[in-house]
Structures are given as C-alpha cells and as structure tokens.
C-alpha cells in the first residue's frame, strides 16, 4: 500500500505538536493539576472534584485503583492504590454523552464546560490514533507500507488481524456532514498548514487530535494514474447470523434484506428494528430512531444485553441510561425470538440452539450435533479434549479443554462480592476464556464472514483476467483494489460481481455490496460524490 509521504510527515509533526498543546491546555483547565493526557488518575480526580452532578461523578466512581484503558503510556506515578476512580474509554464516553445531553437541554455550567473539554482531550489524545502517523512513518519503506496483517490472527475465528498501524481497524467516522470537511483538511495538511491553521479549520469544534485521527485513511493512496476501487459488504454480520440460524423466524429477517436489496426505497433492517423498538410504522421512523435500531441490531444479535447495547451506543454518540437500554433490549428480543432460539439453552430437560448442541456434543464424545447450519463434535483425543465447531464452509473452530470452574461474582464496580458462580471456559493461549452462547454465536458469524472474504480474495487473485486489479488491502468487510483510472468503472462492476458471488456452501445467503473509487482511501461520501480522483 502506497503512502502520501509529504502528507504523512506533516500530519505526524502536527500530532506531535498537538500532544504538547493538549498538555498545555489541560494545565490551564486544571490550574496545574494535570499536565498530560496520559495522566488518567489525575484527570479522573480533577473531573470528580469539579463536577457537582452526582450522576456524572458516579460514572467515574468504579471502585478500582487505576485506569484500565490498555494505554501503555499512562504515567505510573499517577496511580494511587487507594483511588476509587477510573477513566476507561467507555466511562469517558458516557461522561461526555451525559454532558452533551445536559448541554442540549439547558446548557452547561462553567465547570462542566471545562470538564467536557478535559474529557474530550483525554478521550481522543490518550489512545493509539495520535500515534498512527508516526507509525506509518516508521514502518514504510520507500513510501510503501507492508506487512500489516497476520493471517488468521483472530485465532478463535480465523479472521485476518491487523498489526503495526492497524490499517484495517481505522475509525469509520468522518469530519462534517458526509465527510464534507475531509478534502479541504487533507489539502491543507498536504500544503504544510500550521497547527494553528488546522485548529481553526472547520469543523472548529473538533479538537486537532480528533481531526488527525479521522484523516488517517487519506494517507493511503493509489499510484500515479491509478485509483482505488473497493467494495464494502453491507451489514454482512447482521445477514450471516440469521442465515446460520436457518429457522422460519430468521428467514423472515433475511427477507427484509432481500426486499431492501431489490428496492432500496423499502425499509431496511435497521429501520424495521427501530419500528419494533419504538412501536411505530417503519415509514414514520426518523434518522435518530434508525440509529437506535442499528445499534440494537449490531450489539444484541450475539446475546449481548444492557451493557453491550450501551457500549455500542456510545460509539455512535448515543447515551442510553440503564432503564432505556433495558427497554430496548427487551423490545428487540421480543421482536426477534429466532435469535434466542439460535443462542439456545441446555437445562431442565430442554436442549436446543447453539448452546444445547455444544453441550450435547461435549457430553457424548464423537457424537455430531447441529444447530441451524452449525455442527459440533467433541474429541477426547485432541489437545487434551477439544470441542469443535464446524462452519458451513467445513472449517473447524476449536475450543480446547472446556471446563466448568468457579469464578468470583463481581459487583457493578468490578469488585468481588464474595459469592461464586460456575462458568464454562476453554483454554486460550496461556490462559482461559469464558465460553457461553454469545461466544458461539459471534464466533460462528465472524468465522463465516472470514470464509466469505477469504474465498472472494482467492477467486480474484487467482483469476488471470483480473490481474489488472490487484488487491492492496482488506478489512473484515472490504476489499480494496488498485486499477488504472481509465478502468475504474469496469473494475467496480467486476468487484461487485465477485463480492456477490456466493460459494456453494453459502447458498441462500443474501449479500449486498457498495463499490466506490477514489485516489485515496476514504469513508467521506462528499469526497466520493465529488469524484476525488
């Protein structure tokens, strides 16, 4: 993958400047209490002391001694063994969502406005995104980025995983409505704009660190006279899960996809989900309600509940309190009984779905059990005993040494309550991982999606007639090719054909894809509409 090196160099320098500027701004906001965005405990303490709202303070009060944000650069000297605060990304997100609700419904006090800015600096400044441009600089050779993937790195599902710059896990958010602010900012950075100019550029309410995080994709460019052509499978996991269930109720969900694919004016799956949740006609659903339907569909299909819904909602800048989240979970499950049937159970004389099939296979080694399009078998003579899940492709997912064990019951602050519960786990790497029906549903869906991607990539790359459109990168649901600009439309049509071609084992799975072309990699609809070639 080729990089726009002048752009990368300038963006990396701006990111370095921003780290200094963010520290300086935090120092001003906190009157010297905090000087760097990596000082998690210091920021948490300052926020707690300066927020009068009890609900906001409660978000930070989690009863653990230190931040658990997996940021290697958190300063060790900020840890306090007696601290009862935490500043993980999800908690910062919830705090900002709560502040946004108050801002819209009456406004923020001076202290709350400062807290909002400090939390924003922490959220976007302490993660990996600010370092991405520096990583691109360090890992390129002669302006070309290589060795960014681990084959089957997602070892439980067999999915490809990213390493180094994590180019397949870049944020999908864009700057401005439909990404309208992206192209001007890309041009400004490429032209060597100053830090002050970037900060003052639209959208002015977005901090520089966030702007840079949303401008990584354009660093990936096609060669001279060429463009990227890529296809993006539409809601592939939301389609695969009901297809795997292979039940009457799940088939009705697939029919929604088929109808919308044939006629995009008909309501899509997210609109239907929203209508079920808010009890309205699908034609009356408005955009914010559709977003709720999207979040519910994506977060709840693998057995997730209130916590999973709230966490995903935050990624879409939606704040749901526990009561509202509970109502949405119950409404979605009531409208999608096929999902609970697919997840399954194995208790009290009843055994069905994924969980039932897995447990029956474990109880009787060598017996093959099924749930929808998924099969299980347990082999005592492999890896000290292993449960296998067979995907429709025939590929096996492995769960070595499943064991029931007692684990601590944790309270809402993640502290042991003193009570125990029994949990099934399997061996993973040097430890053990929880195994439940949600694990099985998610692994089956993501493993199946990986098989479809791998089959499509192999078909394209082994066809001599398609040598003019080599694949430069993939994500979990995208294939990106590079072609001569003159053949872009031809390549888009071919890529669409290939992405919609099902392997024999996937008969009946409704797929849809969107194809785009651009001189750089982007999610900006404005750039794509403008024919940025």
């Amino acid at each position: 993958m080729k990089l726009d090196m002048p752009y990368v160099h300038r963006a990396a320098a701006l990111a370095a400047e921003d780290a200094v500027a963010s520290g300086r701004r935090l120092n001003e906001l906190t009157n010297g209490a905090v000087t760097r965005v990596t000082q998690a405990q210091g920021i948490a303490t300052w926020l707690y002391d300066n927020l009068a709202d009890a609900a906001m303070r409660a978000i930070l009060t989690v009863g653990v001694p230190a931040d658990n944000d997996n940021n290697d650069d958190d300063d060790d000297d900020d840890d306090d063994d007696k601290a009862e605060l935490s500043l993980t990304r999800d908690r910062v997100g919830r705090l900002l969502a709560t502040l946004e609700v108050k801002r819209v419904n009456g406004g923020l006090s001076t202290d709350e406005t400062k807290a909002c800015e400090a939390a924003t600096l922490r959220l976007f400044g302490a993660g990996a995104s600010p370092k991405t441009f520096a990583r691109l600089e360090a890992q390129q050779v002669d302006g070309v980025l290589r060795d960014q993937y681990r084959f089957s790195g997602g070892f439980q599902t067999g999915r490809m995983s990213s390493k180094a710059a994590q180019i397949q896990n870049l944020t999908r958010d864009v700057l401005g409505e439909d990404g309208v602010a992206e192209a001007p900012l890309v041009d400004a950075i490429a032209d060597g704009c100053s830090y002050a100019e970037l900060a003052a550029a639209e959208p002015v309410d977005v901090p520089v660190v966030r702007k840079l995080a949303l401008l990584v994709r354009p660093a990936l460019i096609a060669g001279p006279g060429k463009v990227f052509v890529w296809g993006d499978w539409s809601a592939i996991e939301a389609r695969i899960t009901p297809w795997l269930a292979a039940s009457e109720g799940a088939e009705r969900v697939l029919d929604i996809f088929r109808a919308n694919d044939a006629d995009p004016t008909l309501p899509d799956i997210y609109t239907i989900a929203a209508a079920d949740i808010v009890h309205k006609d699908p034609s009356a659903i408005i955009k914010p309600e559709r977003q709720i339907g999207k979040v519910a569909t994506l977060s709840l299909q693998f057995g997730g509940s209130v916590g999973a819904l709230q966490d995903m909602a935050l990624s879409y800048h939606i704040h749901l309190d526990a009561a509202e989240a509970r109502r949405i979970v119950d409404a979605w499950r009531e409208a999608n009984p096929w999902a609970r049937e697919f997840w399954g159970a194995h208790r009290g004389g009843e055994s069905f779905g994924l969980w039932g099939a897995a447990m029956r296979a474990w109880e009787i080694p060598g017996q093959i059990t099924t749930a929808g399009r998924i099969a299980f078998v347990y082999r005592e003579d492999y890896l000290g005993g292993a449960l296998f899940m067979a995907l429709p492709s025939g590929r096996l997912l492995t769960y070595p040494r499943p064991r029931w064990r007692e684990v601590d019951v944790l309270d809402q602050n993640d502290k042991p309550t003193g009570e125990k519960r029994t949990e099934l786990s399997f061996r993973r790497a040097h430890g053990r991982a929880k195994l439940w029906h949600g694990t099985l549903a998610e692994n089956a869906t993501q493993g199946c999606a990986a098989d479809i991607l791998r089959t499509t990539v192999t078909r394209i790359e082994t066809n001599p007639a398609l040598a003019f459109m080599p694949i430069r990168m993939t994500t979990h649901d995208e294939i990106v090719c590079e072609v001569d600009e003159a053949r872009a439309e031809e390549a888009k049509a071919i890529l669409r054909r290939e992405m919609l071609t099902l392997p024999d084992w996937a008969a009946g799975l409704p797929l849809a894809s969107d194809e785009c072309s651009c001189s750089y990699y982007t999610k900006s609809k404005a750039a794509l509409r403008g024919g940025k070639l």
Side-chain angles (χ1 to χ4, degrees), residues 15 21 52 124 159 185 191 217 296 325 329 335 366 374 389 399 412 446:
F124 298 126
R159 296 204 299 182
L185 288 177
D191 291 340
R217 289 177 187 269
V329 169
I374 298 298
M389 175 197 288
Y399 302 88
Q412 62 180 355
Q446 294 182 348

Side-chain angles (χ1 to χ4, degrees), residues 378-394:
Y378 180 74
R379 289 280 301 274
E380 292 180 303
D381 58 348
Y382 187 79
L383 294 177
L387 177 68
F388 293 97
M389 175 197 288
L391 301 177
S393 65

Side-chain angles (χ1 to χ4, degrees), residues 376-437:
F376 294 91
V377 68
Y378 180 74
R379 289 280 301 274
E380 292 180 303
D381 58 348
Y382 187 79
L383 294 177
L387 177 68
F388 293 97
M389 175 197 288
L391 301 177
S393 65
R395 187 164 63 88
L396 299 178
L397 305 186
T398 309
Y399 302 88
R401 301 183 184 181
R403 300 285 187 274
W404 290 104
R405 60 173 184 164
E406 280 196 342
V407 298
D408 290 320
V409 175
L410 304 180
D411 62 18
Q412 62 180 355
N413 296 325
D414 294 328
K415 281 188 171 181
T417 61
E419 299 179 0
K420 300 283 186 178
R421 64 182 174 86
T422 303
E423 175 183 283
L424 185 63
S425 64
F426 64 100
R427 184 169 182 174
R428 186 166 71 182
H430 298 291
R432 298 190 67 80
K434 179 181 177 181
L435 183 61
W436 64 297
H437 64 254

